[in-house]
Amino acid sequence: MQNKLTGQTALVTGASSGIGTGVALALARAGAAVAINYHSNSQSADEVVAEITAGGGRAVALQADVGQPEDVARLFEKTRDALGDIDIVIANSGIQRDAAVVDMTIEQWRAVLETNLTGQFLTAQAAIREFLRRGPRPEVSRALGKIICMSSVHEVIPWAGHVNYAATKGGIAMLMRSLAQEVAPHKIRINAIAPGAIRTPINKDAWSTPEALEKLMKLVPYKRIGEAEDIGNAAVWLASDDSDYVVGTTLFVDGGMTLYPGFEDNG
Ligand code: NAD
């Protein structure tokens, strides 16, 4: 997998933490220069940049709120200024604001929609505009550009107590597929990754005690929690020419979580 992305520039939203960091590090190991977008934690973003540069790579940390069109436009401009033409965009930022439906406030609903769904729309839109503006770079990639949307197993698994989050992930599936259909003729490849349970701050309650982890494993046929690196490895493949004929697909990286694990011993 080494050096499959040499000469390419990637932008990863929400890369100061969790899956975004894992993806940014994996892309850098594969040879890409990487823009590390963060929302509020500049220190974590700087640490990711330092890790990449210490390994001989190129990276820059850039603040932006993906739910704000002006921020997203500025993010792309600054990435280009710092690292050159952009080839790969990972729309990864996401939040949870959980509540039972009867208690969910309109603020909780809107916050999750704004970051998870509007944020991915704005990021993908800016990426498409940028790829079309700069034209082909056949020396580094067969595609005009690659976009990966970070979805979730909850694009197909309903999730009580998280209707705002599940609604955005279901929405991302159709956003991704409709965009992929629209821009594939321009040789822009858009796909999604649907992680299962990955060990990150967003779901700390689900893995930080042995009891919680044991309960979680009942949902995972492969019987291990996922790591950010698992998603990073999938992202490198989806961003490289090895997946050049993969268009408009969601790749589930979930240890089998979507295999109806309740049926495991229901013989
Ligand atoms: P995380 O909380 O560690 O990371 C979320 C990132 O999004 C952070 O870097 C945060 O700064 C950023 N972010 C939040 N609001 C933002 C905004 N307005 N603008 C820009 N960035 C913003 O969680 P994670 O687990 O790494 O989640 C990353 C993505 O993976 C999310 O889309 C999440 O839904 C998805 N996902 C995670 C899991 C899991 O098990 N961890 C499973 C399925 C899907």
Side-chain angles (χ1 to χ4, degrees), residues 172-245:
I172 285 167
M174 217 27 127
L175 170 73
M176 180 279 289
R177 295 176 68 206
S178 300
L179 289 177
Q181 189 190 58
E182 186 168 334
V183 299
H186 295 287
K187 295 277 176 287
I188 296 173
R189 287 198 301 117
I190 311 186
N191 291 286
I193 295 174
I198 310 298
R199 194 195 309 267
T200 77
I202 210 174
N203 58 359
K204 197 160 187 285
D205 292 347
W207 52 260
S208 54
T209 66
E211 300 75 36
L213 194 59
E214 193 186 331
K215 190 167 163 221
L216 181 64
M217 285 308 101
K218 291 200 170 77
L219 300 175
V220 184
Y222 202 54
K223 303 301 173 207
R224 79 162 168 87
I225 190 165
E227 305 293 345
E229 196 184 359
D230 292 310
I231 308 303
N233 291 337
V236 168
W237 181 71
L238 273 181
S240 78
D241 278 355
D242 286 350
S243 62
D244 189 56
Y245 209 51

Side-chain angles (χ1 to χ4, degrees), residues 18-195:
I19 288 174
T21 297
V23 169
L25 294 176
L27 295 173
R29 278 197 300 275
V34 190
I36 308 296
N37 159 247
Y38 67 95
H39 182 233
S40 40
N41 194 338
S42 65
Q43 194 188 330
S44 300
D46 288 342
E47 284 166 16
V48 181
V49 170
E51 188 170 340
I52 291 172
T53 48
R58 292 168 67 217
V60 63
L62 297 170
Q63 195 282 332
D65 178 342
V66 295
Q68 305 303 323
E70 320 74 46
D71 278 30
V72 174
R74 182 171 41 80
L75 176 63
F76 275 74
E77 215 177 285
K78 292 206 162 178
T79 300
R80 219 173 52 221
D81 289 350
L83 302 173
D85 283 333
I86 304 167
D87 305 284
I88 300 159
V89 172
I90 318 286
N92 166 74
S93 295
I95 57 170
Q96 287 181 216
R97 296 288 182 271
D98 308 327
V101 63
V102 290
D103 300 323
M104 188 170 285
T105 64
I106 191 67
E107 288 76 23
Q108 287 172 316
W109 172 263
R110 284 192 179 133
V112 173
L113 269 282
E114 183 172 291
T115 299
N116 297 17
L117 194 53
T118 304
Q120 293 224 4
F121 166 72
L122 292 172
T123 304
Q125 183 188 48
I128 293 162
R129 285 176 175 160
E130 176 57 20
F131 297 152
L132 293 172
R133 181 204 63 80
R134 71 129 158 82
R137 299 205 326 131
E139 67 283 11
V140 293
S141 177
R142 293 177 74 182
L144 181 66
K146 285 93 46 159
I147 301 171
I148 300 171
C149 297
M150 204 55 70
S151 181
S152 163
V153 289
H154 295 295
E155 76 166 53
V156 292
I157 302 177
W159 205 11
H162 308 256
V163 290
N164 46 2
Y165 183 85
T168 62
K169 296 303 181 178
I172 285 167
M174 217 27 127
L175 170 73
M176 180 279 289
R177 295 176 68 206
S178 300
L179 289 177
Q181 189 190 58
E182 186 168 334
V183 299
H186 295 287
K187 295 277 176 287
I188 296 173
R189 287 198 301 117
I190 311 186
N191 291 286
I193 295 174

